[in-house]
Structures are given as structure tokens and as C-alpha cells.
Amino acid sequence: MVRIETLTHLMGELEDQLVVCMKCGMCQAVCPVFSQTGREADVARGKLALLEGLMQAMLDDPEGVQRQLNKCLLCGSCSANCPSGVGVQEIFLKARAILAGYLGLSAAKRLILRGMLARPNLFDRLTEWGARFQKFISRPANDIIGTSCARVVSPLLQGRHFRPLAKVPFHRQQPSLDRPASTSGLKAALFSGCLIDKLFPTIARATLQVLAHSGVGLFLPGGQGCCGIPAISSGDLATFRKLVAHNLKCFSKGRFDYLITACATCTSTIREVWPILAATADQPAAAQLAAKTLDVSQFLVGKLGVPVLEQHLDAEKVVTYHDPCHLKKALKVAAEPRALIAANPAYRLVEMAEPDACCGMGGSFNLQYYEISRAIGRRKAEQIQATAAEVLATSCPACMVQISDMLSREGARMAIRHPVELYAEGLSQG
Amino acid sequence: MISDALLKMFQKALGEANVWHAATDLHTYGYDAAVVAPVRPGVVLRPTSEEALGAAVRLCNQNGLPLTVRGAGTNLSGGTVPVAGGAVLLTNGLKTIIEINEADMYAVVQPGVVTAHLAAAVEAKGLFYPPDPGSQAVSTLGGNVAENAGGLRGLKYGVTRDYVMGLHFFDVDGNLVKTGSRTVKCATGYNLTGLMVGSEGTLGVFARIILKLIPYPVHRKAIMAVFPGLAQASASVAAIIAQRIVPATLEFMDNFTIRAVEDFSHAGLPRGAAAMLLIELDGHPTQVEEDATRVEALCRSQGAASLRVARDDAERDRVWTARRSALSALAKLKPTLVLEDATVPRSQIPAMVAAIERIADRHQVQIGTFGHAGDGNLHPTILTDKRDKAEWQRVEAAIDAIFDEALKLGGTLSGEHGTGVAKARYLEKETSTGTIRYSGRLKRALDPNNILNPGKIITSERA
């Protein structure tokens, strides 16, 4: 075991970022976890104070601090609302890495992150087997949302309604592709992302369709890995760096103008986390790639000029849009996905109350704190249902997983789609 | 250390889930928004019913455990920093709006209700709760009453004190005390409500608050005026008041703040301007429009370099975004920000602003000043890095000098942030030895064991 002085020393790295917090407490207004618990150690100001405590050796409870740090959705609501501009997520990710390095990873996390996620090929094979066997443990729950639930009482699944693994993942449907630019003169590379590849391949297919329609060249390298956010969120810097290096290598083989993803979390991870936490030798390449990484809606609206249309007030189908935190709060992208929806004349967008309130997913947060996650998600589900929409659109597959669970458990009859799917649908009908 | 026996008693009274004593909890309830040293409490109590609240107070007193009530911990004078090993009593488990009475225009709330939540709830019914402290998005009404919080609308609408009609509070023994009423007039008994407002948790613990509501103003208009010199801005404030116009808000920003806001938000503010006034009028449309025309003419005649009248809500929002971002813009310049609130009679604002500039120069510290010109409540905001020991000493000297100046001009140490621990030792300067003795006697009579937020307002040796 490394000594506590070492930890104090390591935390010292964060000092200049920590002192920026003036403890005004405004983060209490927006933190989804704090809204459920009312506990200071659950809100950014409290967590920053805990890190300060470790740094100044005023607090001798690294396990407790780690537990509190993990009790966070990394949604960025606090930093988006912070008067002093504290870089909360960056501090928390670095601190999670320092603490996991100091305390070690749990056996379960080691198995999942290092044994599986760090090995993209193995991860692909395991999930393909899973897709074949899942029907033995689960049964359909909601045919419109497309969720399943456990056949028998399961401590892992609890009462969850989950999106099953796709029968054929995207990387089997379209292993790789390299097509030059045509009419648009632009070429994009596509980063698929695990959830889209394994749960929602239709989103990737819609993206391909839209890009082909717009005359955009495409580079889709085979063997892509995870963006690394599950690893770095657990403080597993080694696996994160391995995945970044793996992906950088994949994409170094092609030439393209932009790297696009249809996953808000992948986009914000590549743009904001890769450049600062990749291995030092990889940082210049990561920064270069990050600078040309865009959400698919940003690319279509900003670079291809999908027109921002007026609302189709007479359209029959009502759709409502949920802003993923990693798109709106992290990258300030909110108008573009709405423009994609408006481009399809079959849909009328009705805004829900607080469309940018976090859905409560937060990756592993949902596994560790399902009750809190569910309470946050239920509020979201109520706001969605209050619009009486037929379709809930959102730009992040992780939000889709959470909202599917919440809506399905409420028995809602509502399809959950990605804006690019709605846009593609409009193109094929138009 | 709190004994296991006492912990068990708290758990029995409040429920196990509402008694917190993990190291991570104790560490995170030792500070508030003031720049004062944190102090670790021994236990955190979060009652979820009035009975549990009363029981918690009684248990603390019976066991001699110092007790600090805390809402959102946004206090700027250290009023919610606990006593080492003492109890922190959280009110955010008591956050029900019990009643909004439209016919009689009052609201009854529990102390943990967030200020902005009540404001929104009454606005939805066409009513208005005017006090709007800067932290209203998170601050609690219990805290607002305990600190007599102000805000931007003091000039026309007054402060929290002007809206408290009555209170239910627990005395230190846990007996429920009721004071005031739901009626506009009430002449029975001592005015204990008046005593409790601004008492900073040193005399009792609020259980329920009855707040006055007024009709929501139907029309608003915002004006932004830019001045080449401080004198012209001050003269405009004086002229507006002299013409018997009472704007809802009359806000001031100095050149340092204007530049910080412009660098931060690129809102198009004139970096060279010496001062800016942000004025909002509200009320009946005819009067608002007429007053706006007069305010415009007054500012021009006093030498305003430029004027912008917001034509619609969007433009009005832009004007107020500039004001609201003042603190953020300043906060981003340096790691530590000391937000003072020395207040002077309105007519002394030019003298006070000039004095603050001199103090900044003399002590070699950066001070941005903005604030509520209409009510004389300025916010000299000192930017520093508390790790820089030498500079911190100069900052403390500058704060002392600001206090001295405010008192010399017939003002007060704190317009709206409270005395807390940060200003307790200066209180005698503003008042008198007799005042401190009288307050001490009152405190001893009502809290013989000195367990209610000790050290706040009255320093412990005088209590």
C-alpha cells in the first residue's frame, strides 16, 4: 500500500484547479444527485472540499472520498452553472484516477475494464454470444420502446427494463468502409461507439444513409474500440490510455475532414477527455483528432448546411427532444439536433419542461446507485409524458437506455429515436 | 466526539437515516461561502418533521452541544460555520410550502424552502415575493429570515424583514413559540418576529415562516446608462430619487467590473466607461412608461454618455445578464473572492466609491465595486489568492479600512450578508458598548448554555 503522503502529493496536482471553487454553493441548484439526497458530500462543492481535505491532509478517508466521487453522474450540470468556472469534470476524472491508482480497482471492475473493455475483439465476441443467449434470461417488456426485463428475479438486473443486445451488431453489418468524397467535397470518419454498435445499430445505419445521401465520403475503420469513458470514470487510466491509443491507430489509417459520432458521450469524451488524459506521447494526435470531432447533427447542420426550418405546425406526429448533458452542457450543442428533427415534415417538436435536465444515467452510476438514478429518471419520464409525444428523440444512446427503462416501467407507448434516424426517415420518404 | 448514547438518542428522535457522522459528511459541513477557516462539526442532523426539529434542539441543549442551523450554506459572513464538534442542523429536509393564500396574500413555508421556488410558486398565481438575494436559486427562506437577506429590489420593495408577518420557532429548550399572525395588523405581545429576523440562529430555531405577498407588477422596463465619470452616475441616482421616482432596481457597476464583465461576456459594454447604472421600473404600464422617459431625460441631463432602453423582454434580459454576470466575471479573475457589503446612506455613494478606490490603491489590492446604488448597499469585491499570505494581510487591512470608511459616512458594516463570525468583532464600532452588553444579556437569558450558534453576532466572551 502506498503511503498517505503519496496521496497528498498526488492530489497536489489538482491544487490550482481546486482553489478556483469559492464555495458559493450555486451547484446545489442544478445537481441531479443533490436534488434527491440534499447531502453536501453529494454536490460538487462538497466533493471539491473533500479533495481539498485529502490534499491538505485534513481528511484521512480516501475510501470515503472515492465513494463520494463515484456518486456523481459526471453530467456537468455544475460546471455549466458555475460562476467561477471550476473545471469540475476534469478535476473529478483526474481525482478518480489518482484514487483508483492509490486504492486499487475492485476485482469486478478489473475484470470488466481490463479483462473485457480493453480488448475490443474479445468484447465484440462476448457481446455477440450474449445476443444469442439473452433470450433465455429475459422476456419482452414493451414492444414500442423495445425493452426486455428479467425472466426470473435477478440481483443484477433488479426491476430494470433494458434494451437487449442487437441480433447483429453494426460492425457485423458493416465491418469497414472507405469511400471518397463526392458532391459535398467532404469526407467524414465515423466513430461507432459501443452502445450504438451493440444496442442501436440502426442509428449507425441511419448515419451512413444520411452521409451517402449528402455526398459525403466515409472512412469507417474496422476493429474500433470503446471511447474509454467507462474506464476513466472508474479511474482506470491504463485501460483508458490503451483504448485511446488503439482508436488513434485505427483512425490514423485514413484521411478525412471530420470525425463524427452519433453518441453524445463519445463525442464529448473524444473532444474533451482524450487530449488531456491520453498518454503523453498520444496527446498531440488526440488533440488533433479532437479538434475535428463533431456530433453528427453538428456536422450536418454546421458543415453541410441542413437548413434550419420553421416548425411543421400541422405535422401529425409529435416528438419531444431530450438534451443529453454531454451534448448541451459539455459542447453547447442544442439547436442542431432540433434542426434535424425539424427537417422531417412528418414531425412536430413539442418541448418538454427542462429538456436539458439530466436523465440520471451516468454510466456506472446507474449500476451503483440505481435507486437515485431511477428517481432522477422518473422525473424525466414524467416531463416527457406530459408532452403527450409519440416519439422521444435524444442524441445519446446512454440516455436512450435510461429513458427506455423509465418509460417502459411506466408502461408508456412511445418510440425512442435518435434525431439522425428521424432525419434519415424524412430523406427516404421525401 | 459525540457519545454513542447521544447519537442513539438523535437517531431515535430523527430516524437513523437523518443522523450523519461519516468523516465525509463532517468534513463537508464545516464551511459556507464566506472566506473564513472551516470548522469540523461532530454530527449533522437533518430533521424531516417539525417534531423532530424541536426534539433535536432540546437534545442539543440538554447535552450542552452547540448547534448551528444550516440551509444551503451560502452565508457570506460565516454564520453557518459550526462549532468544532458541535451539531449542524440541516433544514433542507423541511421544504414544504404549506400554504399560498391568494385572498389574504400570504404564504406559510417551512424553513428549508428554496427562495426561488417560493418566488416561482407565487408568481404562478400572479403574486410577488420581492426579496431576491443573489443566491436565491439555492438559498433557503429560513436562512434569508435569519440573515435578513436583501437583494436587488431593496430600494422600492425593502428586504426580507419587510415580508415576515409571523414565525413559529423553537426556543433552546425545544418549546414551540408562536409570534406574529396571518393578518396585516397584529398588536399582541412582544414583537418577537422583529427580534428573530436577522438573529442568525442565535436565539431560536425556525419551524414555520409566514410571509407577506404583494401583487405581481404587470409591467417592467429596463434602462442601461453609461457614464464617463463617477460623479455623473451618482448625480443621476440623486436626481432620480429627488424627482420622487422609485425604480425597482437601481444598480451600479464601476469601471473595473465593467471591464471584467465585458472580457467575460462580450456583451458590448464600453470598456472605457467609468460607471454604469442599470435601472428597472415596474408597476402600471402608463406610469412605468412615463417614469422611463423621465429617467432617460434625467440621466442625459446629468451627462450620461449613452443610454439603452430595453424595448422587449429579450433586450431586458440582456441588460440583466450583464448585471448578473458581474460576480461571475470577477470570480474568474482570481482564485479567492471576498464579497463585502458595507452600506452607506444613498447620498454618500460617491464618497464611498471614491474611498474604495483609494483603499485599493493604498493597500495594493484589486477591488471591483458593483451593487445596489439605490439603497446605498455596495459590493466592494476583493480579488486575491488566499494562499498568498502577504497579499492576504493587505486584503484584511483593506477590509478594515472599508468598514471604517462606511461607519465614518454614517453607514453600516453589513447591508445584507449578516454579522456572523466575520464581523462580530467590529460590531461595537458600529453600535456602542451598551448595545453589546444589552445583546449579551438577551442572549444569556434566552440561551443560558450558549449553544445556539455561539460566536455569531456576539463573540463568545461577551455572550
Side-chain angles (χ1 to χ4, degrees):
Chain A
M1 178 60 102
V2 199
R3 298 190 322 154
I4 192 96
E5 289 81 18
T6 316
L7 180 62
T8 309
H9 176 73
L10 287 170
M11 300 299 299
E13 259 181 55
L14 300 175
E15 182 182 343
D16 286 335
Q17 287 175 288
L18 285 174
V19 292
V20 179
C21 174
M22 58 173 177
K23 300 211 166 59
C24 68
M26 295 310 284
C27 41
Q28 294 171 94
V30 290
C31 175
V33 178
F34 181 81
S35 75
Q36 296 300 323
T37 65
R39 205 171 191 137
E40 179 80 13
D42 291 339
V43 78
R45 175 174 68 169
K47 293 182 168 103
L48 294 167
L50 290 174
L51 293 175
E52 211 174 31
L54 282 185
M55 183 180 77
Q56 297 168 341
M58 308 248 297
L59 182 67
D60 181 17
D61 183 16
E63 291 88 357
V65 176
Q66 188 185 43
R67 213 164 28 243
Q68 285 308 130
L69 274 187
N70 289 338
K71 197 175 175 187
C72 167
L73 293 152
L74 293 172
C75 67
S77 300
C78 46
S79 34
N81 194 48
C82 177
S84 310
V86 179
V88 183
Q89 288 120 300
E90 184 181 336
I91 296 173
F92 286 179
L93 286 176
K94 286 179 176 171
R96 285 184 188 201
I98 292 169
L99 282 164
Y102 175 73
L103 296 168
L105 281 177
S106 72
K109 283 192 172 173
R110 262 206 313 276
L111 183 69
I112 295 169
L113 298 173
R114 298 197 171 158
M116 186 173 80
L117 200 69
R119 302 170 185 174
N121 274 326
L122 177 66
F123 184 30
D124 281 347
R125 254 178 296 142
L126 286 172
T127 50
E128 282 159 31
W129 288 338
R132 264 176 258 158
F133 292 112
Q134 61 188 344
K135 59 177 184 261
F136 299 113
I137 58 156
S138 64
R139 60 183 167 80
N142 186 313
D143 57 326
I144 293 187
I145 298 175
T147 43
S148 302
C149 58
R151 274 186 190 279
V152 288
V153 179
S154 153
L156 178 66
L157 297 172
Q158 300 182 39
R160 279 184 179 80
H161 287 195
F162 54 91
R163 301 285 292 234
L165 291 161
K167 283 201 184 78
V168 184
F170 178 65
H171 70 268
R172 286 278 176 211
Q173 301 180 23
Q174 187 72 57
S176 67
L177 198 66
D178 199 350
R179 184 184 70 213
S182 63
T183 50
S184 75
L186 291 176
K187 184 169 175 182
L190 179 66
F191 184 87
S192 308
C194 306
L195 285 179
I196 289 182
D197 180 60
K198 293 163 181 47
L199 259 57
F200 304 99
T202 52
I203 298 173
R205 284 223 311 278
T207 308
L208 290 191
Q209 184 199 334
V210 166
L211 295 176
H213 173 89
S214 313
V216 177
L218 187 73
F219 175 56
L220 176 74
Q224 295 184 27
C226 163
C227 71
I229 193 70
I232 196 67
S233 302
S234 298
D236 185 357
L237 196 58
T239 300
F240 173 79
R241 288 181 166 170
K242 202 170 153 190
L243 287 166
V244 174
H246 172 87
N247 287 318
L248 285 174
K249 200 168 151 212
C250 277
F251 284 93
S252 69
K253 292 169 191 153
R255 293 172 68 92
F256 48 89
D257 303 299
Y258 297 100
L259 176 70
I260 61 173
T261 92
C263 171
T265 302
C266 293
T267 310
S268 75
T269 304
I270 298 172
R271 277 194 72 97
E272 307 211 302
V273 188
W274 283 19
I276 52 169
L277 290 177
T280 317
D282 287 333
Q283 282 185 6
Q288 263 183 0
L289 193 60
K292 54 181 178 181
T293 300
L294 298 174
D295 174 70
V296 60
S297 68
Q298 248 181 321
F299 175 74
L300 292 172
V301 175
K303 305 298 171 191
L304 286 185
V306 168
V308 178
L309 299 174
E310 288 293 307
Q311 276 285 344
H312 306 284
L313 294 173
D314 51 347
E316 235 172 73
K317 283 189 184 166
V318 172
V319 55
T320 191
Y321 178 75
H322 161 69
D323 286 292
C325 296
H326 291 150
L327 213 49
K328 168 100 189 272
K329 291 175 189 118
L331 305 172
K332 314 275 177 264
V333 175
E336 295 89 337
R338 288 175 170 81
L340 287 193
I341 296 170
N344 184 337
Y347 291 98
R348 177 159 55 96
L349 180 71
V350 173
E351 295 284 354
M352 67 182 90
E354 300 178 71
D356 61 351
C358 177
C359 69
M361 176 66 186
S364 59
F365 179 90
N366 175 276
L367 299 175
Q368 280 176 290
Y369 297 100
Y370 186 56
E371 280 316 307
I372 298 174
S373 172
R374 198 171 160 219
I376 300 167
R378 266 207 298 253
R379 188 174 142 80
K380 185 94 237 176
E382 281 165 22
Q383 290 167 331
I384 292 170
Q385 288 180 286
T387 64
E390 279 177 62
V391 177
L392 175 276
T394 188
S395 307
C396 179
C399 300
M400 286 180 159
V401 169
Q402 167 81 343
I403 294 172
S404 297
D405 182 16
M406 299 305 134
L407 288 176
S408 178
R409 289 182 74 158
E410 309 252 319
R413 312 294 290 166
M414 193 181 290
I416 296 172
R417 315 283 302 277
H418 192 289
V420 79
E421 291 181 281
L422 301 182
Y423 180 63
E425 197 181 285
L427 293 180
S428 37
Q429 283 162 3
Chain B
M1 268 308 274
I2 312 264
S3 72
D4 286 346
L6 183 54
L7 271 182
K8 285 218 170 66
M9 283 192 273
F10 281 131
Q11 286 168 346
K12 189 155 175 265
L14 279 75
E16 229 168 287
N18 300 314
V19 179
W20 303 342
H21 50 86
T24 47
D25 285 318
L26 301 182
H27 186 83
T28 47
Y29 285 103
Y31 52 78
D32 58 21
V35 188
V36 299
V39 177
R40 193 178 299 201
V43 67
V44 180
L45 307 170
R46 186 178 187 254
T48 52
S49 71
E50 269 182 39
E51 297 72 48
L53 178 69
V57 178
R58 189 178 309 119
L59 280 171
C60 285
N61 192 38
Q62 283 169 352
N63 292 278
L65 190 67
L67 159 69
T68 298
V69 184
R70 180 187 178 99
T74 54
N75 189 281
L76 286 161
S77 55
T80 36
V81 172
V83 171
V88 167
L89 206 167
L90 279 185
T91 59
N92 70 7
L94 296 162
K95 51 179 178 187
T96 308
I97 298 176
I98 297 166
E99 183 187 1
I100 295 174
N101 192 312
E102 293 179 69
D104 297 323
M105 295 209 289
Y106 67 80
V108 183
V109 299
Q110 288 189 317
V113 172
V114 170
T115 315
H117 294 176
L118 176 73
V122 304
E123 193 181 323
K125 296 178 187 291
L127 293 169
F128 190 27
Y129 177 70
D132 60 342
S135 55
Q136 61 175 332
V138 296
S139 71
T140 62
L141 289 160
N144 290 171
V145 175
E147 297 294 327
N148 189 16
L152 270 58
R153 303 186 180 120
L155 170 62
K156 179 168 180 179
Y157 292 106
V159 295
T160 305
R161 172 186 62 220
D162 301 304
Y163 295 86
V164 186
M165 299 171 75
L167 287 169
H168 292 189
F169 66 90
F170 288 105
D171 72 7
V172 75
D173 298 311
N175 303 310
L176 190 64
V177 181
K178 298 182 179 183
T179 163
S181 76
R182 289 167 161 76
T183 53
V184 173
K185 295 177 175 176
C186 172
T188 48
Y190 287 122
N191 180 8
L192 298 179
T193 308
L195 177 65
M196 295 308 289
V197 175
S199 63
E200 303 189 7
T202 60
L203 301 177
V205 177
F206 305 150
R208 263 181 208 208
I209 304 162
I210 308 168
L211 293 167
K212 180 171 88 174
L213 305 173
I214 60 175
Y216 199 79
V218 287
H219 192 65
R220 290 159 184 244
K221 188 134 205 168
I223 301 166
M224 187 166 89
V226 174
F227 296 89
L230 221 50
Q232 291 96 324
S234 311
S236 299
V237 172
I240 291 168
I241 305 290
Q243 287 296 308
R244 305 291 180 257
I245 300 170
V246 186
T249 49
L250 184 41
E251 295 287 303
F252 165 86
M253 278 202 251
D254 73 350
N255 173 262
F256 190 94
T257 311
I258 294 171
R259 279 185 289 139
V261 170
E262 182 52 23
D263 291 345
F264 167 67
S265 66
H266 308 289
L269 304 186
R271 293 178 50 92
M276 244 172 69
L277 288 178
L278 301 164
I279 306 158
E280 181 161 292
L281 299 149
D282 68 0
H284 189 277
T286 321
Q287 185 175 8
V288 169
E289 291 302 328
E290 192 189 310
D291 283 351
T293 315
R294 289 166 66 205
V295 166
E296 217 183 315
L298 285 168
C299 290
R300 280 196 204 287
S301 71
Q302 298 297 335
S306 72
L307 270 162
R308 197 155 94 199
V309 182
R311 274 176 301 275
D312 50 31
D313 281 355
E315 214 174 324
R316 173 178 168 264
D317 285 347
R318 275 199 294 280
V319 170
W320 290 105
T321 305
R323 165 62 181 84
R324 273 194 294 268
S325 55
L327 189 62
S328 301
L330 292 171
K332 286 189 170 74
L333 299 179
K334 282 285 193 83
T336 312
L337 174 147
V338 183
L339 181 64
E340 282 304 336
D341 69 327
T343 301
V344 292
R346 187 186 300 130
S347 59
Q348 298 295 339
I349 283 205
M352 190 64 198
V353 172
I356 292 168
E357 280 183 3
R358 278 199 311 275
I359 290 167
D361 247 20
R362 189 178 341 129
H363 296 279
Q364 288 299 298
V365 292
Q366 280 187 319
I367 308 184
T369 300
F370 62 95
H372 321 306
D375 56 30
N377 178 197
L378 290 175
H379 289 305
T381 303
I382 308 177
L383 306 172
T384 178
D385 184 337
K386 64 189 168 194
R387 295 171 296 176
D388 181 342
K389 297 280 182 287
E391 185 175 83
W392 184 247
Q393 280 183 354
R394 297 203 304 277
V395 168
E396 289 192 315
I399 294 172
D400 283 2
I402 290 172
F403 288 167
D404 286 341
E405 195 64 35
L407 295 180
K408 211 168 76 192
L409 294 170
T412 172
L413 298 170
S414 170
E416 56 186 3
H417 296 168
T419 314
V421 284
K423 288 174 189 158
R425 66 199 161 97
Y426 300 96
L427 198 55
E428 194 166 337
K429 270 195 198 175
E430 176 175 333
T431 57
S432 66
T433 310
T435 312
I436 304 297
R437 282 199 191 130
Y438 187 84
S439 305
R441 281 209 297 275
L442 192 66
K443 170 76 169 154
R444 281 192 296 279
L446 294 174
D447 178 20
N449 301 322
N450 194 26
I451 65 135
L452 292 173
N453 212 11
K456 317 296 152 51
I457 305 182
I458 315 281
T459 52
S460 281
E461 61 270 21
R462 313 292 289 258

